[in-house]
Amino acid sequence: MTSKRVLITGGAGFVGCNAARYFGQRNWDVTVLDNLSRKGADQNLEWLKDETAFAFANVDVRDTAAVDKVVSESRYDAVIHLAAQVAVTTSVIEPRMDFAVNALGTFNMLDAVRRFSPEAVFLFASTNKVYGKIAGATTELRGNRYAYTNRPHGIGESEPLDFLSPYGCSKGAADQYVLDFARIYKIPAASFRQSCIYGPRQFGVEDQGWVAWFAIASLLGRNITIYGDGKQVRDVLHVDDLVMAYEAAIRAPDRIAGQAFNVGGGPDRIMSLLDLIALLEERLKKKIPLRWDAWRPGDQEVYISDVRKLAQALDWKPEIDPAKGVGALIDWVAQNRDAF
């Protein structure tokens, strides 16, 4: 029996290399597409070579001809599109680049799949930022955490879209293109609107990947700035749980085609900024000095994903407890100090 083939764009990134290892170790024929522009990508690629076999294409998703060449060379069973510009702040400074990578790059991938591999399940890593400030959701302070007063299960897919920031616009445009290509061209494509993914191989920075950034900064003695009061809450999802959702989706294309799914830890896996600091202090057995600054424009007191739709469609649920997952992340940072 021939192996199934998966193309992972951004495959040397944090989620990408974890996905490549997961599928490679389960006997999938893996192709990693990446331009290695992101910090840590070279190290992730070297690490991956020791974990599993894969083919590598050094390609930028903005390069239409290069994308076409990679997609046309093989009949893929699945395409996991993770390549992206990932920081809101960068999108504000360089909106044209952000658009070209996120919106045009996704279009290039979709159009290549449409022409050369139309039966491939296409999974797009979208973002909760497509919902903007979520004006209809109200919050209150409960103890040391903010909480929704009118969204007991979190934010669902029926929430109105409200693209905020160039990043929100570029990812939102890509998100809608994915759903429309499924509708118009019958590609089994879906958008995963992801929230706060964390885990090993994540080279987090202050404005993206906050769980990893707090762990890295805590171990290496770097400054941590809390914007606001630290009581803001997010749901967090370990990368291994996310990759298992990808596999479940690929195995059930009829259940996910043409749909968007909110993907995160859900209400059972929430954490405030101060919760994470306390967990790090307990694990590292030291007090972590903090800097404080004003709330930033667009900062939300709460964001929690309602993951019931994905759970029902794929019989999936997160398995990894945040305390265990953060502990493993700390271990990885400690073992790879020189990489930072």
Side-chain angles (χ1 to χ4, degrees), residues 112-128:
V113 168
R114 173 185 71 85
R115 287 176 289 132
F116 302 118
S117 203
E119 295 178 358
V121 178
F122 188 100
L123 300 182
F124 172 57
S126 186
T127 172
N128 60 35

Side-chain angles (χ1 to χ4, degrees), residues 11-12 32 36 40-50 54 56:
V32 167
L36 303 180
D42 287 325
Q43 290 124 300
N44 285 343
L45 198 67
E46 287 303 311
W47 166 81
L48 190 59
K49 290 175 182 177
D50 293 330
F54 64 97
F56 175 61

Side-chain angles (χ1 to χ4, degrees), residues 240-258:
D240 288 353
D241 282 328
L242 174 65
V243 172
M244 284 190 282
Y246 290 162
E247 182 184 35
I250 291 166
R251 295 190 183 283
D254 293 344
R255 298 183 195 171
I256 56 97

Side-chain angles (χ1 to χ4, degrees), residues 15-155:
V15 175
C17 71
N18 279 283
R21 178 180 69 166
Y22 181 91
F23 285 99
Q25 291 183 348
R26 285 157 182 79
N27 297 317
W28 283 65
D29 186 344
V30 175
T31 299
V32 167
L33 183 153
D34 204 296
N35 69 352
L36 303 180
S37 63
R38 186 163 169 80
K39 175 179 169 58
D42 287 325
Q43 290 124 300
N44 285 343
L45 198 67
E46 287 303 311
W47 166 81
L48 190 59
K49 290 175 182 177
D50 293 330
E51 298 294 318
T52 189
F54 64 97
F56 175 61
N58 191 336
V59 167
D60 191 310
V61 292
R62 291 171 289 187
D63 186 337
T64 307
V67 166
D68 283 355
K69 184 175 186 296
V70 172
V71 177
S72 65
E73 284 175 344
S74 186
R75 200 77 173 181
Y76 293 102
D77 297 282
V79 175
I80 304 174
H81 179 45
L82 307 172
Q85 192 295 112
V86 296
V88 171
T89 50
T90 301
S91 79
V92 173
I93 297 167
E94 298 186 70
R96 182 178 294 274
M97 181 274 289
D98 173 82
F99 173 84
V101 174
N102 291 346
L104 181 59
T106 300
F107 175 84
N108 285 342
M109 290 303 308
L110 279 168
D111 202 43
V113 168
R114 173 185 71 85
R115 287 176 289 132
F116 302 118
S117 203
E119 295 178 358
V121 178
F122 188 100
L123 300 182
F124 172 57
S126 186
T127 172
N128 60 35
K129 295 295 189 292
V130 299
Y131 299 117
K133 289 188 176 180
I134 316 176
T138 56
T139 64
E140 66 181 10
L141 188 60
R142 296 177 186 166
N144 283 322
R145 290 175 174 169
Y146 290 100
Y148 288 128
T149 60
N150 61 350
R151 299 288 191 277
H153 300 288
I155 301 303

